[in-house]
Amino acid sequence: MSRVYILVFTAAFLLLALQALLLSSWSHDLRTSSEEADKTKQAEQQLHGLLAKSQDLQDTHNGLATRAQKLERVHASGARQHRQADQHMDTDASTCIGSVPDSIGAIAAVVVITHNRPEYLKKCMSSVMQVHVKDPSNRQKFPLHISQDGNSTAVTDLARSTDPAQFNVSHLDVSLIPSVVHMQHIEADAFPTRKNTEPIAYYRIASHYKFVMRQIFDCWQYPKLIILEDDMQIAVDFFSYFEAGAKLLDDDPKLYSVSSWNDHGQARHVNDPLRLERSDFFPGLGWMLTNAVWRSLKSNWPAAYWDDWMRLSPVRQGRQTIRPEICRTYNFGEKGSSHGQYYERYLKPIKLNDVEVDWSKQDLGYLQHHRYAEELDQKVASARLLKSGEGVHLAQGLVKMTYASRSEYEELAAAIDIIGDWKDGVPRASYEGIVKVRLSILRDEGFSFLGGELLLVSVPSNHSEGSRGQSRSSFPVNFVHPAHKGHTHGSDKSNAA
């Protein structure tokens, strides 16, 4: 019996041991399963984290891709933004470059024409930037462009530069600095000139101007265009002046353009920063035209000498230009396609306006066509005719001198030291044959204006009573230049034409 108990006890013990062993195994399996579950959970959490990071990276990639597409057109820095248009081979008149910009609210696109003078472009754009940033609304009203003719690397690098120090604007708030669109014009073929000795530059310039106007007007549909050249600086009220001029163009179909330039704007001849004039002579040199005027010009655009072509009567068609008495641009380009012609004598002495005029507050009603003509006729009638031998430089009040031929006009112009040039029968800065200049004398401290204003008046060549009501019998030929007491404005009195 005891042996049975022993066997039973042993069997029970073995059974308990087996159960314990099984429980131990199950416990280990459970612990292993739990650890694996924890690991699995951790792996799932890591996977979710990686998926989230992957999505973030994808979003970042998409954002960078979008920015990259934009940066293909807009090169942004902390200071300036540039949008570059594709190069254009000027063989297909229907070709447009770049994407169409948002021109809503634009008064006029501003384009600086340049070729191979990076130092000039830098000086010009520095001037433009300094004035442009004064009014934040100019970013929308007057979008800036640089149009480069040819492939000068130095000019291209400067035009696309994102360094604000290049244009002396690094001291300005980044948000104030305007974007600049870079356009590049490259000719596919050589130009045929009319003569082998004829400068090709004038052909390239005409083609470049055509490219700019076609792009701005035909492709991008801006309402107006202001053209500057890379050898110009602008006045402090430049954009205010052209904003007022844009309204004049809109209201008067007899206007051809608005210019910032007066050919007789030398410091010795100008004194009133508020005075504007109408002129039959197209001066260029910082000017604005409308899309409608471009449409009247483009089908016959010349191969060369575009500015003289625009001065032809059949082209101008009786339309006139608004110009200031004191220039709103200054030309510092002593070297260029004209090789500094007349620079020292007539361009260097130009006075650039330095008065901050708010043109929105000026009454410009006197510039209306009929009113301007009537008031000028009244001035001519009331002006005192200078007598022969009378010193013109000492004249006070309103005076006049008359001419009946080009040679007589050139003689008068040389005597008072203005450009005697005219084109297609129209003297520079003239209106219906009348040229206005102010009279001054040169003192040690500068020019002194005594209140004299001179009108050079065209009369019929038969010396009879002219359309301006004055006889040629008192035509004064022996008079002296305003400079006196050892001062001169230039010893060369030859014809400037």
Side-chain angles (χ1 to χ4, degrees):
M1 191 68 174
S2 59
R3 292 179 64 186
V4 173
Y5 284 124
I6 291 172
L7 291 172
V8 171
F9 178 81
T10 300
F13 176 79
L14 292 173
L15 180 61
L16 289 172
L18 179 60
Q19 290 177 343
L21 181 62
L22 290 173
L23 287 173
S24 175
S25 177
W26 291 343
S27 175
H28 178 270
D29 291 340
L30 287 173
R31 285 197 305 269
T32 301
S33 177
S34 176
E35 290 174 357
E36 290 178 352
D38 291 339
K39 290 181 180 179
T40 301
K41 186 175 182 180
Q42 291 176 2
E44 289 175 350
Q45 290 174 346
Q46 292 176 352
L47 180 59
H48 285 301
L50 289 173
L51 289 173
K53 289 181 179 180
S54 175
Q55 184 63 45
D56 290 340
L57 289 173
Q58 183 63 39
D59 293 341
T60 301
H61 171 76
N62 293 337
L64 289 173
T66 301
R67 288 190 63 193
Q69 292 174 353
K70 292 180 179 179
L71 289 175
E72 288 177 356
R73 300 184 302 270
V74 182
H75 301 277
S77 72
R80 297 177 70 232
Q81 293 181 348
H82 286 261
R83 191 175 60 211
Q84 177 198 354
D86 298 329
Q87 290 183 351
H88 172 60
M89 307 301 285
D90 194 20
T91 57
D92 182 0
S94 64
T95 300
C96 293
I97 62 175
S99 58
V100 178
D102 180 8
S103 60
I104 296 176
I107 293 174
V110 180
V111 177
V112 176
I113 301 286
T114 189
H115 174 44
N116 62 356
R117 304 183 294 188
E119 71 281 7
Y120 277 20
L121 178 61
K122 181 175 182 177
K123 187 173 182 178
C124 173
M125 287 303 298
S126 296
S127 171
V128 171
M129 289 283 192
Q130 295 290 338
V131 178
H132 196 279
V133 299
K134 290 183 177 181
D135 183 355
S137 67
N138 285 338
R139 292 170 65 95
Q140 184 176 31
K141 293 189 292 188
F142 297 103
L144 301 180
H145 306 69
I146 295 173
S147 185
Q148 176 188 355
D149 185 43
N151 53 12
S152 166
T153 302
V155 171
T156 302
D157 291 344
L158 183 61
R160 299 178 186 178
S161 173
T162 59
D163 180 5
Q166 289 282 12
F167 299 126
N168 300 321
V169 292
S170 56
H171 62 287
L172 299 174
D173 188 313
V174 172
S175 63
L176 297 178
I177 299 174
S179 63
V180 179
V181 177
H182 175 230
M183 300 153 49
Q184 191 165 10
H185 170 247
I186 297 178
E187 291 294 341
D189 302 309
F191 285 96
T193 58
R194 284 174 286 193
K195 300 177 182 177
N196 292 334
T197 58
E198 198 173 20
I200 197 172
Y202 295 109
Y203 288 81
R204 291 195 177 279
I205 292 170
S207 178
H208 191 191
Y209 268 77
K210 182 180 180 181
F211 160 76
V212 168
M213 286 189 271
R214 189 173 64 218
Q215 183 65 33
I216 294 297
F217 287 133
D218 297 345
C219 297
W220 290 346
Q221 293 297 309
Y222 278 101
K224 298 176 184 69
L225 166 64
I226 297 171
I227 298 181
L228 292 167
E229 296 175 10
D230 62 5
D231 56 2
M232 296 178 183
Q233 291 174 292
I234 67 173
V236 292
D237 62 342
F238 179 89
F239 293 106
S240 177
Y241 169 77
F242 274 104
E243 184 168 1
K247 295 177 182 177
L248 296 174
L249 287 176
D250 289 337
D251 295 339
D252 190 345
K254 286 190 67 65
L255 287 181
Y256 200 29
S257 67
V258 173
S259 177
S260 60
W261 187 257
N262 175 13
D263 282 299
H264 308 318
Q266 297 79 19
R268 58 187 176 268
H269 293 313
V270 297
N271 194 39
D272 187 354
L274 301 180
R275 183 68 189 181
L276 307 182
E277 306 289 350
R278 294 181 77 107
S279 176
D280 297 312
F281 189 90
F282 169 73
L285 292 175
W287 57 288
M288 175 170 64
L289 78 161
T290 65
N291 201 320
V293 170
W294 163 241
R295 290 196 298 272
S296 74
L297 301 173
K298 65 179 182 179
S299 60
N300 295 312
W301 191 258
Y305 310 106
W306 68 271
D307 47 353
D308 283 344
W309 175 80
M310 285 190 66
R311 292 165 182 148
L312 296 176
S313 295
V315 178
R316 190 169 56 83
Q317 299 178 352
R319 294 172 291 187
Q320 295 154 346
T321 292
I322 299 295
R323 66 161 181 86
E325 176 174 320
I326 300 181
C327 290
R328 264 55 191 186
T329 49
Y330 180 80
N331 190 303
F332 58 83
E334 188 170 3
K335 66 177 183 177
S337 59
S338 296
H339 306 290
Q341 188 180 32
Y342 318 127
Y343 180 81
E344 287 293 328
R345 185 173 176 186
Y346 295 116
L347 297 183
K348 189 174 181 179
I350 287 289
K351 176 178 175 59
L352 178 66
N353 176 61
D354 57 4
V355 178
E356 192 97 43
V357 178
D358 183 352
W359 286 98
S360 67
K361 297 181 180 178
Q362 300 301 312
D363 181 4
L364 302 180
Y366 67 90
L367 291 170
Q368 295 174 4
H369 176 63
H370 294 296
R371 179 176 166 183
Y372 183 87
E374 290 173 359
E375 292 181 358
L376 185 56
D377 280 344
Q378 292 171 6
K379 291 188 72 171
V380 171
S382 64
R384 180 174 64 86
L385 183 65
L386 285 179
K387 297 178 181 179
S388 179
E390 185 175 353
V392 65
H393 62 285
L394 297 175
Q396 299 186 33
L398 186 62
V399 296
K400 64 189 171 190
M401 302 189 311
T402 56
Y403 65 95
S405 66
R406 179 168 185 167
S407 61
E408 287 183 352
Y409 178 79
E410 289 171 352
E411 184 180 0
L412 294 178
I416 61 174
D417 203 14
I418 63 173
I419 303 176
D421 181 34
W422 63 16
K423 302 292 183 181
D424 201 23
V426 180
R428 288 182 181 270
S430 68
Y431 176 85
E432 295 188 0
I434 302 169
V435 176
K436 300 171 64 174
V437 295
R438 296 192 187 274
L439 302 174
S440 69
I441 58 175
L442 182 61
R443 303 186 189 277
D444 291 337
E445 66 274 13
F447 292 102
S448 178
F449 291 87
L450 303 178
E453 183 178 6
L454 173 64
L455 305 177
L456 301 182
V457 183
S458 173
V459 297
S461 58
N462 59 11
H463 291 196
S464 63
E465 288 290 316
S467 60
R468 300 295 170 185
Q470 294 298 327
S471 170
R472 292 278 293 109
S473 59
S474 299
F475 176 65
V477 294
N478 298 317
F479 48 151
V480 296
H481 186 268
H484 63 103
K485 295 182 180 179
H487 296 285
T488 62
H489 296 306
S491 57
D492 179 14
K493 299 297 182 184
S494 63
N495 176 28

